[in-house]
Amino acid sequence: MKIFVDADGCPVVDIAIKTAKSYDLKIVVVKNFSHYLEDNYATIVTVDQSPDSADYYIANHASKGDIVITQDYGLAAMALAKEAFCINQNGLIISSENIQQLLTRRHINREIRSRHHKYTKFKKREPEQDAKFERNLRYLIEKLSH
């Protein structure tokens, strides 16, 4: 089992690395070259800045039983098709049971923003979100380890 992190814009990279290290799991952090990231434990992969480069890298390298951390539901759908497990930065475990609803909601929201030129601002990240992410990542790891 490996953990892949779609690191561009991901607020939980450090938590993911710390958690992977605590279980002695390989973790691959994929980012584009405009982001600086260095870690002694994780494998850092830098891809070009073209759209979805990190997503395609992860989709091409993730395997059955791996964990993919992403807030991109398109990447999550590709990873699920490869029988990987997915979790977003807020601790939501993405599965074949909820991916279609998430993709549909993403599409509808994109249409609304496009029509109304209305864009939401990201809310400040709360410590509870980090705690939920770590708790659910540990849950996934332990579930898959047995």
Side-chain angles (χ1 to χ4, degrees), residues 52-113:
D52 304 321
S53 289
D55 298 350
Y56 291 131
Y57 180 91
I58 293 169
N60 287 325
H61 290 85
S63 301
K64 180 178 181 176
D66 288 341
I67 296 173
V68 174
I69 300 169
T70 185
Q71 55 191 333
D72 184 305
Y73 298 137
L75 171 56
M78 289 187 283
L80 289 170
K82 294 185 88 174
E83 298 184 53
F85 294 83
C86 300
I87 184 171
N88 77 5
Q89 77 282 359
N90 295 325
L92 173 67
I93 297 173
I94 304 166
S95 67
S96 57
E97 286 79 36
N98 64 7
I99 188 64
Q100 190 57 52
Q101 177 186 2
L102 295 169
L103 287 168
T104 300
R105 186 176 349 157
R106 177 183 76 164
H107 175 73
I108 290 168
N109 288 338
R110 186 177 288 163
E111 289 289 316
I112 291 169
R113 286 191 304 271

Side-chain angles (χ1 to χ4, degrees), residues 7-44:
D8 295 338
C10 181
V12 293
V13 173
D14 292 339
I15 296 168
I17 294 171
K18 177 187 80 165
T19 304
K21 190 173 184 179
S22 74
Y23 286 95
D24 197 29
L25 292 174
K26 181 174 180 170
I27 184 164
V28 180
V29 178
V30 185
K31 62 167 195 72
N32 71 43
F33 66 82
S34 67
H35 294 89
Y36 175 78
L37 184 61
E38 190 175 288
D39 187 82
N40 292 331
Y41 184 78
T43 300
I44 309 295

